[in-house]
Amino acid sequence: MSGASVSDVNDRLSALELRVQQQEDELTVMKAALADVLRRLAASEASAASSTKKHGGKGEMLLVKVSL
Amino acid sequence: MSGASVSDVNDRLSALELRVQQQEDELTVMKAALADVLRRLAASEASAASSTKKHGGKGEMLLVKVSL
Amino acid sequence: MSGASVSDVNDRLSALELRVQQQEDELTVMKAALADVLRRLAASEASAASSTKKHGGKGEMLLVKVSL
């Protein structure tokens, strides 16, 4: 291996190590964002389920009949 | 290239190959999680849209029948 | 370093560069999808909060005043 190609290999290795590190950092940020989304989505689903139960499921039906 | 640097290059290549494989595995997990989120979010939006339509959009529809 | 191992190092570097590029492309797609999810989730939460406020929060508050 010539001196030029040794230097070339080192450059390519260093560039790859930098890109892989940057991707690890991005993955860490995205994992945190995705965990936040999952938490908020679960809360939203629980709230909607609770609201549906309270409202009797399908639509708001309200009949008040007052006979005197 | 000296024996030492050949070994060094091999070590760096092996370490990079391992990290890239781990990132591929993490990306696969995150893609599945994101697909799940998109499915649940679409269901939640469809449910909310259906609920809004049933409830007449703004405010609750209220029928009061008073018989005297 | 023998000719064979130089070729081997070049092959492994090229394969890694390809995989890292593919992961960068996937990360870009996933970041866009996650940004879309965050936007839709925020809209859904805002809509639910607005609906909850209109509906009086917990359960349906209903006041019917009948004057005879």
Side-chain angles (χ1 to χ4, degrees):
Chain A
M1 195 174 235
S2 71
S5 63
V6 169
S7 165
D8 178 58
V9 164
N10 277 326
D11 287 352
R12 290 169 74 186
L13 278 169
S14 296
L16 276 169
E17 284 160 352
L18 181 62
R19 289 169 76 186
V20 168
Q21 183 59 52
Q22 287 169 335
Q23 291 192 2
E24 269 168 17
D25 295 344
E26 286 205 48
L27 274 171
T28 299
V29 171
M30 287 185 65
K31 268 191 287 188
L34 195 52
D36 177 58
V37 161
L38 285 165
R39 188 187 51 71
R40 286 162 63 185
L41 189 54
S44 169
E45 288 168 342
S47 168
S50 157
S51 172
T52 300
K53 203 183 279 176
K54 281 194 188 104
H55 295 176
K58 304 218 162 217
E60 215 61 22
M61 177 104 80
L62 178 64
L63 290 173
V64 177
K65 187 176 181 184
V66 180
S67 303
L68 296 172
Chain B
M1 195 174 234
S2 71
S5 63
V6 169
S7 165
D8 177 57
V9 164
N10 276 327
D11 286 353
R12 290 168 75 186
L13 278 169
S14 296
L16 276 169
E17 284 159 352
L18 182 62
R19 289 169 76 186
V20 167
Q21 183 58 53
Q22 287 168 335
Q23 291 191 3
E24 270 167 16
D25 295 343
E26 286 204 48
L27 273 171
T28 299
V29 172
M30 286 184 66
K31 268 191 286 186
L34 195 53
D36 178 57
V37 162
L38 286 166
R39 188 186 52 72
R40 287 162 62 186
L41 189 54
S44 170
E45 287 169 340
S47 168
S50 157
S51 172
T52 300
K53 203 182 280 176
K54 283 194 184 103
H55 295 177
K58 304 215 163 214
E60 224 52 34
M61 178 110 78
L62 179 65
L63 291 173
V64 178
K65 185 174 181 189
V66 181
S67 304
L68 297 173
Chain C
M1 195 173 234
S2 70
S5 63
V6 168
S7 163
D8 178 58
V9 164
N10 277 326
D11 287 352
R12 289 169 75 186
L13 278 169
S14 296
L16 276 169
E17 284 160 351
L18 182 62
R19 288 169 76 185
V20 167
Q21 183 58 53
Q22 287 168 336
Q23 290 191 2
E24 269 168 16
D25 295 344
E26 286 204 47
L27 274 171
T28 299
V29 172
M30 286 185 66
K31 268 192 285 187
L34 195 52
D36 177 57
V37 162
L38 286 165
R39 188 186 52 72
R40 287 162 62 185
L41 190 53
S44 168
E45 288 169 341
S47 168
S50 158
S51 171
T52 300
K53 202 182 279 178
K54 282 193 188 105
H55 295 176
K58 305 220 161 211
E60 217 58 26
M61 178 108 78
L62 178 64
L63 290 174
V64 177
K65 188 175 180 187
V66 179
S67 302
L68 299 173

